[in-house]
Amino acid sequence: MLRILLITLGVILLLLIALPVLFKSKIEAMVKEKVNEELTATVDWSRFSLSFFRGFPDLSINLHQVSVAGQEPFTGDTLAGLERFELRVNPFSAFRKNIEVKSIILDRPLVNGIVLEDGTANWDIVSGTDSDDLEKEAGGGSTSMGISLKRFAILDGRVYYLDKAGSLDASLEGFDLELRGNFSMDETEMQLTAGIDRINARMGGIRYLKDGNFEMDVVAAANMVENRYTLEKNLISLNGLTLGLEGQVVLGEDGAMEMDLRYFSRETSFQTLLSLVPAIYLTDFSSLKASGNLQLDGTVTGTMKDSILPDATLNLLVTDGYFAYPDLPKEVSDVQLSLKVDYQGTDLDATRVNLERFHLLMGGNPFDLSLTMDHPISDMHVAGEARGLIDFASLKDVVPMEDVSLKGKLETDLRWDTRMSYIENEMYDQVDLEGTLVIEDVLVEAPDIPVPVELSRLHMAFNPRMVELQTLDLILGSSDFHLDGTLSNFIPYVFDGQVVTGTVNLSSKVLNANEFLPEREEVAPGEVPAVGDTLLPVPPDSLAEPARIRIPENMGFHMNLDVKKVEYDKIVVENIMGEMKVTGGVAVLDQLSMDVIEGKVIANGWVDTRGEFTEMDVTFEMKGVDIASSYETFVTVERLAPMARFMKGTANVDMECATRLDASFTPLYESINARGEAFTKGLQFYKLDAFVRFSDMLKNEKFQQMAPDEVYVGFTVQDGRIQFNPFDMKVYDSEMTVSGSHGIDYTMDYLFDMKIAKSDLGAGANDMMQGISLLAAGAGIRIPESDYIKIKANVTGTFNNPSIKTDLSANLRSTGETVKAAVEERVVEEIEKVEEQVREGASVEAEKIISDAEAQAERVIDEARKAGDELVKEAEKQGDKLMEEAGSNVLKQIAAKKAAEELRKQAVKQSENLVKEAEVKADGIIQKAREEAARI
């Protein structure tokens, strides 16, 4: 009997081990295929496991390192991921037609929600399967199979949300949640606990929460038949503010949620409300002395489904508020606040906000504000007053501010009462708007502000028709700004986001944009191998960073500019004058003139910042621009005209250019579509590689430096290629016509059709031509007497390594009526032989230079590989030592193994970097040798 029992137990044990193993791969493949069919996203995981041993008799299903990657337009973005997903289920409960899910655990999940400017959300990934299809897949609704859940948990989660359409970004870190209850019963007690270590929220550039913390502990009576949840015991806290919540929620079968809830503050201390102010809560909040009374309550009632939201109310009352820090000399006192909000989810136009009173004394200075708003949809009505004085220096005497220097004053006496329609229809007699806002002598210095901010004076005067910006004098570091003008539609802009219009005059002596640019990392000597004169490749447009600076679409200004000097990177622009119209996110340039690189530029066109990349369509008129300086100053010239590095002189250029711009306002070169004309004066070429090689062929060094002076050329730029129309150059006593193109990849294809004066030929070249003439005469072919030699040169290859092929056949002419093709061909062959003899003398020396360079390059790479191997060996040695020190302790062994793997991983990475750097250095050595050999 005992033997039979042992055998039976053995068989059961074997099945428990074998079944998950035997069917694991099939189950995993089926699950992965089904999930990816149902989602317009790519779901994957590193490991899939099934086991009965984690909680027998329950079956434990685990997915490790799960990732959910988006598809267009979010290709490559991670929507969600988690370290481990665990589902624990009682498989035998299926026989009772009620699958019992013991627990679902999400371990260290990550959610990355993104909403684009057009409203597209990356979490909208569920395929369009309708309810009828789902019912058919489930057996047409004939099954009575149910599912019950006992525990759901999230461990150490992270949620990031970026709404580009609403200018909102928020994050939750250290997110824990646990839901418990026996949901298989008709009625059960549901327990929900949650905690968030850090909450951050910013909207429209304003930070509403910084490193806030949240806790929730809710107990509810759940009626699973009616889907009704009645709150019994609960506690919700945000920072120091603790709220109570009571009422009930009913979940409808159509997905609607019916709510009847009331919330209220559990404490009446004013200090709890102050905990929601980041500057106060994050600065020694425990030592804050505060008094005053707080009353906070509200309701949430109605239906929530899709775009339908419930009604909500908020009542906030603060009386006799006071707070002060013991180590600071001043206080905030007599805080009086009365705010009522009535939000109507079913009729948004009935929503009303009433800030009846906000009053305080800060450092003894009073400040009062009141505001009412109603009918926000049909015709918004706003009314209120702002009156008082704020001494910014007192802020440091009230709230601790480390490493921050602050001074200045704000004084206002402003009243408004109007409907938006009154302003839109220019019914100014119905508008009550009057007062002033003055800010003076403001100075702000802080570690996270790149330069000191000095606002000498801002004076705004309000009347029903407009706001007069009488003056704004601002200094940012070494940059100064002065603005004045008039603004219209200001109230609708502030309260309803409508377009503010007006005329603004902007003047400045110096605008130094370099003070606001991020610091560039300095490269240590020897860290990156030098490449000599080699041109670096242009990065592809696909790697470009989208635009960060955008013109607000709700601004429409006519701006008159008078800026004496602008510094941006290496660019210095002076005397910027002209008009610019800003409307709908687009800046329109009208005769905008400026002095740059010793010339004058006039720009007309537009710049559009609304898309992912800034777009530009501008016509440029450039007069007297220095060519050499343009190459040194503008990276665009370096990329589009690399030969400018070897040119001197000035140029007049008329050009129409349309392109996209990246975050640094650099063109996306593949997108450039341009055409234009250029006229040069005093043009000189010096040591341009192609001309150096041509000069060697002619045995005359003077062609290494040419001065054609005045040259007229037409050009186009399209699909990453610059095409030059044929243009003529006069060089010494010679003439040449040039045409062709080059690309942003530095490949080129140019034709030089030249008439070289004999006076410009070197002695060696003259001897060569005399020999060819004698050879041709012996074959019955006459090379006519002329003061010029005709040469066609085709220049191909790259700017780093050009190739020149010449053709002298245009100099041949027959003395008879017909010239035999065979004789003519022989003469051409002899010409090529003579050209080859000129080169042969240099080939041996050139090969030796390249051979020596290749040997040196190989030694550099070998040394790097040896050094890398030593790094890996040392890392493995340290890893072995860690494993030995761990001994038999399992936990220490796991930690030691991970540390050893990380040591080896880092060592391999360093080794690979050493080899890569060596290979780049080796390429530079060989390239330099080839360039040297090519000149021989």
Side-chain angles (χ1 to χ4, degrees):
M1 186 67 183
L2 179 60
R3 183 180 179 187
I4 294 174
L5 181 59
L6 291 174
I7 291 173
T8 303
L9 290 174
V11 171
I12 293 174
L13 181 62
L14 182 61
L15 286 174
L16 292 175
I17 297 173
L19 286 176
V21 174
L22 291 174
F23 296 101
K24 170 188 169 184
S25 59
K26 291 184 178 180
I27 295 173
E28 179 181 11
M30 181 182 67
V31 172
K32 185 174 291 188
E33 180 182 0
K34 190 64 178 176
V35 168
N36 283 285
E37 281 180 359
E38 296 297 328
L39 301 177
T40 56
T42 303
V43 182
D44 201 1
W45 49 80
S46 64
R47 187 161 61 90
F48 177 89
S49 64
L50 296 171
S51 174
F52 280 101
F53 289 100
R54 288 181 177 269
F56 182 79
D58 300 332
L59 174 64
S60 179
I61 303 171
N62 283 265
L63 303 178
H64 297 266
Q65 295 177 330
V66 182
S67 65
V68 182
Q71 297 180 3
E72 287 292 344
F74 301 100
T75 301
D77 291 341
T78 298
L79 166 59
L82 64 157
E83 191 67 24
R84 181 174 63 91
F85 168 83
E86 180 181 324
L87 171 64
R88 189 169 294 183
V89 62
N90 180 359
F92 304 106
S93 62
F95 297 109
R96 299 192 297 271
K97 294 188 177 182
N98 184 58
I99 298 177
E100 183 182 355
V101 179
K102 293 293 185 69
S103 64
I104 296 176
I105 298 176
L106 307 182
D107 184 13
R108 285 166 285 175
L110 166 68
V111 178
N112 185 30
I114 300 174
V115 179
L116 300 180
E117 287 89 344
D118 60 3
T120 304
N122 68 341
W123 60 80
D124 188 12
I125 59 174
V126 179
S127 299
T129 305
D130 59 34
S131 58
D132 291 338
D133 293 335
L134 291 173
E135 187 173 330
K136 290 176 182 178
E137 292 177 11
S142 60
T143 180
S144 59
M145 181 72 73
I147 299 177
S148 64
L149 173 66
K150 287 191 174 181
R151 179 181 179 235
F152 175 78
I154 296 175
L155 308 177
D156 194 17
R158 291 170 294 159
V159 179
Y160 300 98
Y161 177 74
L162 175 61
D163 186 343
K164 297 182 180 180
S167 299
L168 168 66
D169 67 270
S171 65
L172 311 177
E173 296 178 329
F175 176 33
D176 295 311
L177 180 143
E178 183 161 357
L179 173 66
R180 287 183 178 273
N182 190 348
F183 297 101
S184 62
M185 301 176 63
D186 291 346
E187 294 186 0
T188 186
E189 183 180 77
M190 182 187 75
Q191 299 176 353
L192 175 63
T193 59
I196 303 172
D197 292 339
R198 291 174 301 281
I199 307 175
N200 288 279
R202 184 192 296 269
M203 184 174 183
I206 300 174
R207 183 183 291 277
Y208 290 93
L209 276 173
K210 180 178 179 182
D211 292 340
N213 60 76
F214 173 82
E215 292 182 5
M216 180 172 65
D217 191 352
V218 174
V219 177
N223 185 320
M224 305 307 297
V225 177
E226 299 178 358
N227 274 335
R228 182 185 304 275
Y229 302 87
T230 304
L231 303 180
E232 295 178 340
K233 303 175 183 178
N234 57 80
L235 181 70
I236 300 173
S237 67
L238 177 61
N239 292 349
L241 180 63
T242 304
L243 298 176
L245 187 65
E246 59 185 28
Q248 65 178 14
V249 176
V250 179
L251 302 181
E253 293 183 0
D254 59 352
M257 183 183 298
E258 296 288 341
M259 292 181 282
D260 185 4
L261 301 172
R262 175 179 174 269
Y263 62 91
F264 50 90
S265 57
R266 288 191 176 274
E267 299 183 22
T268 60
S269 169
F270 173 55
Q271 185 170 359
T272 61
L273 184 64
L274 291 174
S275 70
L276 300 184
V277 182
I280 296 176
Y281 181 70
L282 296 174
T283 310
D284 199 15
F285 185 69
S286 60
S287 68
L288 184 72
K289 292 182 178 180
S291 63
N293 300 311
L294 167 69
Q295 180 181 329
L296 171 64
D297 61 67
T299 60
V300 180
T301 58
T303 303
M304 182 168 69
K305 181 185 178 184
D306 299 330
S307 60
I308 301 174
L309 296 175
D311 299 339
T313 63
L314 167 68
N315 300 302
L316 175 61
L317 182 65
V318 175
T319 56
D320 302 326
Y322 164 91
F323 73 89
Y325 283 89
D327 296 332
L328 295 179
K330 294 183 181 180
E331 62 192 20
V332 173
S333 62
D334 196 21
V335 179
Q336 314 292 337
L337 172 63
S338 178
L339 172 64
K340 294 181 179 181
V341 179
D342 184 5
Y343 173 82
Q344 296 293 311
T346 53
D347 183 8
L348 293 178
D349 197 47
T351 297
R352 179 179 176 84
V353 177
N354 185 10
L355 177 60
E356 294 179 355
R357 186 187 186 196
F358 174 63
H359 169 81
L360 58 78
L361 291 173
M362 185 170 65
N365 297 314
F367 187 83
D368 290 273
L369 175 68
S370 63
L371 172 68
T372 60
M373 185 275 293
D374 54 66
H375 296 91
I377 305 300
S378 60
D379 186 10
M380 181 183 290
H381 168 244
V382 292
E385 293 183 355
R387 181 181 293 108
L389 173 66
I390 296 178
D391 185 350
F392 295 119
S394 295
L395 289 175
K396 286 198 66 176
D397 295 332
V398 172
V399 179
M401 297 182 182
E402 294 184 2
D403 303 322
V404 175
S405 177
L406 185 63
K407 67 177 183 178
K409 293 182 180 181
L410 178 152
E411 188 170 2
T412 183
D413 186 359
L414 184 61
R415 182 183 70 255
W416 62 92
D417 187 349
T418 183
R419 292 187 177 276
M420 297 303 163
S421 60
Y422 296 161
I423 299 176
E424 293 167 1
N425 297 320
E426 300 183 359
M427 301 167 60
Y428 298 115
D429 57 328
Q430 301 292 323
V431 178
D432 183 6
L433 176 61
E434 184 178 4
T436 60
L437 172 66
V438 178
I439 304 176
E440 292 182 307
D441 302 324
V442 174
L443 172 64
V444 182
E445 292 181 285
D448 55 350
I449 300 177
V451 295
V453 177
E454 297 181 54
L455 178 58
S456 301
R457 183 174 176 81
L458 167 65
H459 188 169
M460 301 175 72
F462 297 79
N463 62 61
R465 290 181 175 273
M466 66 185 67
V467 176
E468 295 181 41
L469 178 59
Q470 295 185 359
T471 185
L472 188 156
D473 291 310
L474 178 66
I475 297 177
L476 300 176
S478 60
S479 303
D480 64 279
F481 301 83
H482 173 80
L483 288 93
D484 60 67
T486 58
L487 308 177
S488 301
N489 211 44
F490 188 77
I491 294 296
Y493 164 75
V494 173
F495 290 100
D496 197 29
Q498 294 187 27
V499 178
V500 59
T501 60
T503 300
V504 176
N505 304 309
L506 169 63
S507 61
S508 171
K509 295 179 181 177
V510 177
L511 297 182
N512 187 357
N514 294 321
E515 294 181 329
F516 309 100
L517 296 175
E519 293 185 5
R520 300 187 177 187
E521 295 183 3
E522 296 293 334
V523 178
E527 184 174 333
V528 177
V531 292
D533 294 337
T534 302
L535 293 165
L536 298 177
V538 176
D541 288 358
S542 59
L543 299 179
E545 184 180 354
R548 289 190 296 248
I549 298 176
R550 301 191 182 280
I551 300 171
E553 295 185 31
N554 58 348
M555 288 188 177
F557 291 131
H558 181 103
M559 301 185 70
N560 299 307
L561 304 179
D562 183 5
V563 180
K564 300 305 181 186
K565 185 177 182 180
V566 174
E567 298 178 18
Y568 177 80
D569 198 17
K570 296 184 293 183
I571 304 170
V572 177
V573 183
E574 297 179 317
N575 300 321
I576 301 176
M577 298 187 70
E579 297 182 1
M580 182 169 67
K581 297 176 182 178
V582 176
T583 178
V586 179
V588 180
L589 312 180
D590 185 8
Q591 291 296 107
L592 191 66
S593 67
M594 63 199 78
D595 298 337
V596 61
I597 47 178
E598 303 178 30
K600 194 172 193 66
V601 177
I602 298 176
N604 291 276
W606 52 262
V607 179
D608 187 348
T609 65
R610 292 173 296 180
E612 180 182 11
F613 292 93
T614 298
E615 295 187 12
M616 178 187 83
D617 192 341
V618 178
T619 299
F620 295 98
E621 297 178 32
M622 309 179 191
K623 306 293 183 184
V625 174
D626 185 73
I627 298 173
S629 298
S630 68
Y631 181 88
E632 296 296 330
T633 303
F634 296 104
V635 67
T636 305
V637 176
E638 177 186 337
R639 299 284 167 79
L640 296 182
M643 70 285 285
R645 179 178 183 181
F646 306 98
M647 296 166 63
K648 295 179 180 179
T650 62
N652 295 345
V653 181
D654 292 336
M655 178 175 67
E656 299 175 10
C657 180
T659 183
R660 293 188 297 165
L661 307 173
D662 66 10
S664 62
F665 293 96
T666 300
L668 275 64
Y669 294 98
E670 296 169 23
S671 74
I672 296 177
N673 192 339
R675 61 188 179 92
E677 301 170 341
F679 178 75
T680 68
K681 286 189 176 182
L683 179 62
Q684 299 179 47
F685 293 93
Y686 59 98
K687 295 185 179 180
L688 182 61
D689 204 357
F691 289 161
V692 170
R693 297 191 184 192
F694 183 68
S695 179
D696 292 343
M697 293 172 58
L698 295 180
K699 302 297 182 180
N700 193 337
E701 292 184 357
K702 70 180 184 180
F703 279 93
Q704 294 184 14
Q705 298 189 22
M706 300 187 297
D709 190 14
E710 296 185 354
V711 174
Y712 171 82
V713 58
F715 62 89
T716 59
V717 183
Q718 191 170 16
D719 299 327
R721 199 144 193 93
I722 300 86
Q723 179 78 43
F724 288 96
N725 300 334
F727 62 94
D728 299 324
M729 291 196 302
K730 177 77 174 177
V731 181
Y732 302 113
D733 295 327
S734 302
E735 300 172 1
M736 61 180 69
T737 300
V738 184
S739 62
S741 68
H742 66 268
I744 58 175
D745 58 355
Y746 301 129
T747 60
M748 56 181 170
D749 185 3
Y750 281 100
L751 176 63
F752 289 76
D753 193 351
M754 299 175 283
K755 290 173 60 178
I756 305 298
K758 288 186 177 180
S759 58
D760 291 335
L761 292 175
N766 271 313
D767 293 342
M768 175 185 75
M769 292 307 301
Q770 289 175 7
I772 292 175
S773 297
L774 292 173
L775 181 64
I781 298 174
R782 181 174 63 87
I783 297 180
E785 291 293 328
S786 173
D787 294 332
Y788 295 93
I789 301 298
K790 297 179 180 179
I791 302 176
K792 289 185 178 181
N794 187 214
V795 182
T796 57
T798 68
F799 282 97
N800 291 327
N801 187 23
S803 174
I804 302 177
K805 184 177 181 180
T806 56
D807 180 6
L808 302 174
S809 60
N811 296 285
L812 303 180
R813 185 184 301 169
S814 171
T815 56
E817 295 179 357
T818 61
V819 179
K820 294 182 180 180
V823 176
E824 207 169 85
E825 182 179 346
R826 178 171 173 271
V827 172
V828 172
E829 289 175 355
E830 291 299 326
I831 291 173
E832 292 176 350
K833 285 181 182 179
V834 173
E835 290 178 343
E836 183 63 27
Q837 289 172 3
V838 174
R839 299 186 182 96
E840 280 180 356
S843 63
V844 175
E845 183 179 352
E847 289 176 1
K848 184 176 185 304
I849 291 173
I850 294 174
S851 176
D852 291 345
E854 289 175 343
Q856 182 185 355
E858 188 63 32
R859 286 195 299 273
V860 169
I861 294 174
D862 286 342
E863 290 172 1
R865 284 181 180 142
K866 290 177 182 178
D869 291 342
E870 288 298 321
L871 281 174
V872 175
K873 287 179 182 179
E874 180 61 28
E876 290 174 344
K877 183 178 178 182
Q878 293 181 19
D880 292 340
K881 185 178 179 182
L882 289 173
M883 293 295 294
E884 289 177 6
E885 293 174 351
S888 59
N889 188 307
V890 177
L891 294 177
K892 287 185 177 180
Q893 286 178 356
I894 294 172
K897 185 178 179 181
K898 289 185 177 180
E901 290 174 351
E902 183 63 24
L903 280 172
R904 191 181 189 284
K905 179 181 176 182
Q906 293 299 325
V908 170
K909 186 176 181 181
Q910 291 181 35
S911 174
E912 291 173 349
N913 288 338
L914 284 174
V915 174
K916 286 179 182 177
E917 291 174 2
E919 288 173 345
V920 173
K921 186 175 181 180
D923 290 343
I925 292 171
I926 294 173
Q927 180 62 37
K928 189 174 181 180
R930 285 175 178 167
E931 293 172 358
E932 183 180 349
R935 295 189 181 97
I936 297 178

